[in-house]
Amino acid sequence: MKKNIRIRCKRSIGIWAKKFFPISVVVSFLVITSAGCSLSQSKLSSLDTEIPVQNLFWPPPPQVPKVQHIKIIRSPGDIGIKQSWIEKALSILFGKEVDGKIILRPYGIYAESGRIYVTDPGMHILHVFDEKKKQYFMINTAKDTDLVSPIGVTVDMHGEIYLSDSILKRVFVFDKKGSCIREIGSPDSFTRPTGIALLGDRIYIVDTHSHRVLIYNKNNGDFLFSFGKNGTSHGDFNYPTHIFIGQDDLLYITDSMNFRVQVFDREGNFVSSFGKHGDGSGDFSKPKGIAVDSEGHIYVVDADFDVVQIFDRDGKLLLAFGSSGTEKGKLFLPAGVFIDEKDRIYVADSYNNRIQIFQYIKETTSVQNKN
């Protein structure tokens, strides 16, 4: 039986549906100023011990864990690269604020085939971490233009990088080495471009301040169509921010100030929605990043609650992880989220200046014993 515990009292719950477990799962986590929950024991002796290792799984025993904390990335050193001249230069430039940590205010994330792309409007750059090759580089200019507010990022099958800059009102395309090769749209096309996603030859661009989504041909830049307008009805938006395209080819969009998630088909036709404003379990206060795993579970970041809530396709809350704090597994004004082909969950822990990586554990997935 579900227990409704109010976030206003600094607690919330997540309940994984009975189809996943013999009994319902209740996960309590503290929000904003509170400490984290007590979680199941693990054998992750290779992880650092900022907090007890038993706090690295969600939900707590006696239930089977469904989310596992994997690692934290703040700088190239966290993927095995020795401190570079870039880190040293930034440390000198920014002093204690950077303190050897390349990431300052992470926002958007994309990850695939060992590469992790992180937009950082605080540093006005895009970070590119290559875990397989142990390489790192940054993008801070597009030809002769300095980036100002990089927000959304996605990558196509050829390795071309698509990046939105909300202040410059432009979407830039870079090759895999970071050289700008073209633009999509123009400052006249957008009011504030934010979340972006690819589906086939199309790029879907969320324009937050015009309350709509614009669709272009990603290869030649031709405008195709748009959908959405300001409002509260099905298909309307009130400051949409993030977009994720699931394996079902549906568009999952955070309709931020309507405090809901809306789902559309590839032509922009409304499919479904869920969510409401509130401080209870499954409610939203400041919804931001959104992603979908291989089994269709929908992950929504809430920056006010410092939590990631997981829903089924019908909008039923299954589980939540995270709580306010600076330790491993805790969050401070999180922003974007991305889920890769291995069901790894990447969360932009914005004001903790880091990316936290978690793993969704399927029924057939064994618990990992190391990073």
Side-chain angles (χ1 to χ4, degrees):
M1 180 176 181
K2 295 183 181 179
K3 300 179 180 178
N4 292 321
I5 305 175
R6 306 295 289 175
I7 288 177
R8 184 168 51 202
C9 298
K10 300 182 181 179
R11 292 190 293 174
S12 178
I13 64 167
I15 298 179
W16 203 270
K18 289 183 178 180
K19 66 179 180 179
F20 294 104
F21 300 112
I23 62 174
S24 297
V25 178
V26 178
V27 180
S28 298
F29 56 89
L30 302 180
V31 177
I32 305 301
T33 59
S34 54
C37 58
S38 176
L39 303 170
S40 61
Q41 292 288 336
S42 77
K43 299 178 182 179
L44 300 184
S45 58
S46 62
L47 290 173
D48 67 62
T49 55
E50 296 178 313
I51 57 174
V53 293
Q54 67 263 26
N55 287 346
L56 296 174
F57 289 90
W58 295 263
Q63 306 300 333
V64 178
K66 300 304 296 182
V67 174
Q68 175 188 2
H69 188 280
I70 299 298
K71 69 168 63 174
I72 290 172
I73 296 178
R74 298 185 180 93
S75 72
D78 293 317
I79 63 168
I81 302 173
K82 293 182 179 180
Q83 189 182 44
S84 67
W85 66 268
I86 296 174
E87 292 176 274
K88 293 176 182 177
L90 289 173
S91 294
I92 293 171
L93 203 63
F94 291 93
K96 292 183 179 180
E97 183 178 6
V98 174
D99 193 25
K101 303 177 182 69
I102 288 291
I103 296 176
L104 184 60
R105 292 288 183 268
Y107 191 87
I109 311 175
Y110 183 88
E112 187 177 39
S113 302
R115 269 195 170 191
I116 305 171
Y117 305 80
V118 182
T119 63
D120 190 338
M123 295 290 281
H124 319 294
I125 61 178
L126 172 72
H127 306 278
V128 182
F129 298 88
D130 193 322
E131 291 190 284
K132 288 184 177 179
K133 296 181 179 179
K134 304 301 180 186
Q135 295 176 349
Y136 167 86
F137 68 91
M138 65 171 67
I139 298 173
N140 61 358
T141 61
K143 295 183 178 177
D144 297 326
T145 303
D146 291 336
L147 299 180
V148 179
S149 181
I151 296 294
V153 61
T154 189
V155 180
D156 69 14
M157 61 185 298
H158 305 294
E160 291 186 349
I161 305 164
Y162 298 75
L163 178 71
S164 65
D165 191 303
S166 65
I167 300 299
L168 295 178
K169 302 179 182 180
R170 296 156 89 173
V171 173
F172 300 103
V173 185
F174 302 87
D175 65 21
K176 62 178 61 178
K177 295 182 179 179
S179 298
C180 186
I181 52 180
R182 63 182 184 276
E183 293 182 30
I184 294 176
S186 69
D188 294 330
S189 307
F190 308 116
T191 305
R192 188 173 289 264
T194 52
I196 57 177
L198 294 172
L199 180 58
D201 289 335
R202 293 178 176 182
I203 180 168
Y204 294 77
I205 303 166
V206 176
D207 194 343
T208 297
H209 283 195
S210 70
H211 314 286
R212 60 180 180 154
V213 179
L214 296 88
I215 297 88
Y216 290 81
N217 183 294
K218 76 177 184 68
N219 299 314
N220 57 29
D222 287 348
F223 173 74
L224 301 177
F225 64 97
S226 67
F227 65 91
K229 62 180 177 62
N230 189 217
T232 59
S233 299
H234 290 330
D236 292 346
F237 294 114
N238 191 15
Y239 296 98
T241 55
H242 295 72
I243 181 171
F244 189 90
I245 298 178
Q247 294 185 10
D248 52 11
D249 286 353
L250 293 179
L251 319 178
Y252 296 79
I253 299 174
T254 308
D255 189 7
S256 183
M257 296 309 294
N258 278 328
F259 309 101
R260 65 185 180 185
V261 169
Q262 294 206 72
V263 185
F264 301 84
D265 67 18
R266 61 184 299 155
E267 303 303 322
N269 298 308
F270 174 81
V271 174
S272 64
S273 70
F274 66 87
K276 65 180 177 64
H277 185 230
D279 57 6
S281 305
D283 293 341
F284 297 129
S285 179
K286 191 177 288 185
K288 287 195 171 184
I290 187 166
V292 183
D293 68 24
S294 64
E295 295 183 343
H297 310 124
I298 305 163
Y299 298 63
V300 184
V301 172
D302 198 298
D304 259 3
F305 300 152
D306 294 328
V307 70
V308 180
Q309 298 188 98
I310 309 174
F311 301 86
D312 67 12
R313 291 180 176 89
D314 297 321
K316 180 181 179 182
L317 180 65
L318 302 176
L319 182 70
F321 63 92
S323 63
S324 296
T326 60
E327 297 94 341
K328 186 187 307 177
K330 295 186 179 182
L331 305 168
F332 185 13
L333 291 178
V337 61
F338 186 83
I339 299 177
D340 68 12
E341 66 276 13
K342 296 180 179 179
D343 279 329
R344 282 198 167 191
I345 309 155
Y346 302 77
V347 179
D349 191 5
S350 188
Y351 277 73
N352 278 327
N353 323 113
R354 63 191 182 183
I355 300 299
Q356 294 207 64
I357 305 176
F358 304 82
Q359 177 71 55
Y360 168 58
I361 305 170
K362 297 182 180 181
E363 294 295 330
T364 57
T365 302
S366 60
V367 173
Q368 300 180 20
N369 289 324
K370 60 182 180 179
N371 287 349

